[in-house]
Amino acid sequence: MDILFGPVPSRRYGQSLGIDLVPMKTCCYDCLFCQLGPTPKTTLERRDYIPLSAVYQALSAWLAKCIPVDMLTLCGSGEPTLHAHFGDVLKWIANETDKPSLLMSNGALFADPNVRRDAALATRTKISIHFWDEASFQQTVRPHSGLSFQSIYEGWQAFRVDYKGMLDVEFFALPGMNTSEEQLSRIRDLIAPLAPDTITVNAAERPPAESCVKCIAQDEKEKLRTFFATIASERPSIAPQSTIAYSEAALLALARRHPLTPEQFATYFNQPVALIRDVLMRYADEDPFAARALKHS
């Protein structure tokens, strides 16, 4: 598998180079809304899925190219904290580069003090909160049987006590599941004690794992952002610097990790939409992520 992908254009983080530490869909959750599809089998097994030597070699080779990048991000095909030594990768970034690091995690393993210790090495950490009790936890993210809502939330609280970096919280809006006035109030009451620096509201703008997940209107999304904004000390986002050189391999690699529409791919690579569509169509039969991008055009 490719360890690095991108840089991916992000409204909040600028040009973000993805570092993928686990194989596709290696995750503790089977989220209804995952843009990468269902998780075949959830896991809590922490091990060196990718050798650290291979990670460092890939990073060194990429950095030698001097491509502009704003953030080095642990994310991608699954849950990065399942890699037993993700903290060593964060140390390497701090010691060998001048770039900030971002850990994009579902936060499922933060009950483990070792995971919290290593996560604290990230310049920024992003966790996801879409539920407010055990029942909503089970419904929305379909976790591994060894996980519980209460232990995870207590882990988040313990992490926030000592964490010196920036904490970002993501809320994924699921109409009919977590967007009623009462449900939103309970979720906000959970988020507030964590004192996040930012809160991101997301919705199903790309094909989700389950068809029961519906998108919300843009004006409703803006209302949710306003609703949560009162408990976050929003800081300026990083301005993107540039796009990455286009190739069919780069397009397909990005489609597998960060599905976008053909129009978004065209903007990212500074290529005609017709060319992007042509490539995706040629690979659609053999690459499900190319097919998904076309479906969402």
Side-chain angles (χ1 to χ4, degrees):
M1 62 173 283
D2 294 329
I3 297 171
L4 306 182
F5 63 98
V8 175
S10 167
R11 289 185 297 271
R12 186 173 304 282
Y13 304 118
Q15 295 289 353
S16 170
L17 178 66
I19 305 169
D20 204 350
L21 298 180
V22 298
M24 180 64 70
K25 293 305 295 181
T26 302
C27 196
C28 323
Y29 291 166
D30 180 19
C31 295
L32 293 172
F33 50 85
C34 184
Q35 67 185 25
L36 298 181
T39 302
K41 183 179 180 181
T42 56
T43 183
L44 298 181
E45 182 183 8
R46 300 191 66 226
R47 59 185 175 90
D48 290 340
Y49 291 93
I50 308 296
L52 288 179
S53 58
V55 177
Y56 300 155
Q57 182 178 8
L59 280 169
S60 295
W62 193 90
L63 291 169
K65 299 177 183 178
C66 298
I67 299 173
V69 67
D70 300 301
M71 188 81 70
L72 299 180
T73 305
L74 274 58
C75 63
S77 300
E79 173 51 42
T81 62
L82 282 169
H83 193 289
H85 290 95
F86 78 92
D88 288 327
V89 179
L90 292 171
K91 288 179 183 176
W92 191 95
I93 293 171
N95 293 332
E96 302 296 329
T97 80
D98 60 353
K99 302 299 181 182
S101 59
L102 169 64
L103 172 65
M104 297 190 73
S105 172
N106 57 31
L109 301 180
F110 277 42
D112 183 339
N114 293 321
V115 171
R116 296 199 301 269
R117 176 202 64 206
D118 289 348
L121 297 170
T123 308
R124 300 181 74 136
T125 298
K126 184 176 183 178
I127 60 174
S128 302
I129 305 178
H130 324 293
F131 38 78
W132 63 92
D133 60 10
E134 186 65 32
S136 59
F137 175 58
Q138 294 291 333
Q139 180 188 26
T140 58
V141 301
R142 300 182 294 191
H144 186 278
S145 60
L147 296 171
S148 72
F149 161 76
Q150 190 61 37
S151 64
I152 289 174
Y153 185 68
E154 290 174 358
W156 293 341
Q157 290 177 307
F159 176 71
R160 191 48 167 154
V161 169
D162 297 321
Y163 185 49
K164 306 304 181 185
M166 293 186 68
L167 178 67
D168 301 341
V169 167
E170 175 197 32
F171 167 75
F172 201 101
L174 299 165
M177 299 182 200
N178 66 1
T179 56
S180 73
E181 184 176 343
E182 178 184 358
Q183 292 163 346
L184 290 169
S185 294
R186 295 184 68 177
I187 293 171
R188 182 173 63 181
D189 289 345
L190 288 176
I191 296 175
L194 301 177
D197 293 283
T198 67
I199 300 176
T200 302
V201 175
N202 284 327
E205 297 178 354
R206 302 169 189 141
E210 301 294 343
S211 60
C212 65
V213 175
K214 305 302 180 183
C215 191
I216 60 174
Q218 185 61 36
D219 61 333
E220 290 299 316
K221 188 186 295 186
E222 293 303 323
K223 289 179 182 178
L224 289 174
R225 287 173 176 160
T226 301
F227 177 83
F228 286 115
T230 57
I231 58 173
S233 54
E234 185 73 27
R235 303 188 185 186
S237 58
I238 301 170
Q241 292 186 7
S242 65
T243 58
I244 192 172
Y246 169 76
S247 69
E248 289 189 3
L251 169 61
L252 295 172
L254 184 57
R256 295 185 187 107
R257 267 35 174 272
H258 195 78
L260 302 171
T261 66
E263 291 76 14
Q264 289 170 323
F265 282 126
T267 299
Y268 174 54
F269 287 109
N270 194 26
Q271 297 293 322
V273 175
L275 181 149
I276 298 297
R277 287 184 181 277
D278 178 67
V279 174
L280 293 173
M281 290 178 66
R282 284 193 283 111
Y283 285 94
D285 289 340
E286 60 188 74
D287 190 321
F289 294 99
R292 283 166 68 88
L294 286 169
K295 182 179 178 181
H296 196 58
S297 62

